Amino acid sequence: MKENDIRPAHLLNEYLRLSSLDAEEYFQLENRVPIPCPACAETSFSPAFCKNGFEFVVCQQCATLYLSPRPPLREFERFYTESPSSSYWANTFFPSVIEARRHTIFKSKVKRVEAFCGSK
């Protein structure tokens, strides 16, 4: 499998461009709230990295990587229902690669599950 088969560069680059713009539009800095670790509820963490204006941290207790401070749920709901990048993913990107993904990703996963379960 080649990455370009399931994520053609021209489609991926457009999706990433739209996502970057949407991150600024749909997720306001002033609305973000610190959250405890989603895995263990620990409140102590170390900064990990920033991407597109989002701060990722690592839990000092269990080493889970997560986003904090995090935008409120309503901003995520608005992003997934209204944003140009979500629309592009659903209407352009994914339909363009569904057959390649079905063949290269989904079939191999089904075969592994069948082998694990002992079916043919």
Side-chain angles (χ1 to χ4, degrees):
M1 167 177 51
K2 295 181 181 173
E3 183 174 0
N4 201 47
D5 294 337
I6 60 168
R7 278 188 289 255
H10 70 285
L11 294 174
L12 180 60
N13 289 338
E14 177 62 5
Y15 173 71
L16 294 175
R17 184 187 73 77
L18 291 169
S19 294
S20 181
L21 295 171
D22 289 346
E24 294 176 25
E25 172 72 22
Y26 289 85
F27 300 107
Q28 306 305 311
L29 284 173
E30 63 272 7
N31 295 339
R32 297 179 189 184
V33 294
I35 64 162
C37 175
C40 73
E42 176 65 41
T43 56
S44 58
F45 56 84
S46 300
F49 61 89
C50 291
K51 183 171 183 177
N52 290 337
F54 294 98
E55 296 177 39
F56 289 81
V57 298
V58 175
C59 175
Q60 290 183 347
Q61 179 70 31
C62 72
T64 295
L65 175 68
Y66 65 101
L67 178 65
S68 184
R70 185 169 65 193
L73 180 59
R74 70 181 180 278
E75 290 183 6
F76 283 103
E77 290 169 340
R78 186 171 161 253
F79 169 79
Y80 285 115
T81 60
E82 299 175 14
S83 73
S85 62
S86 288
S87 178
Y88 183 81
W89 180 269
N91 299 313
T92 303
F93 187 100
F94 198 72
S96 298
V97 297
I98 186 63
E99 287 306 316
R101 285 174 174 253
R102 183 177 287 129
H103 178 72
T104 59
I105 298 173
F106 304 146
K107 279 188 177 182
S108 65
K109 287 183 180 182
V110 168
K111 287 179 183 179
R112 282 185 287 202
V113 169
E114 286 175 339
F116 179 76
C117 294
S119 8
K120 291 186 178 189

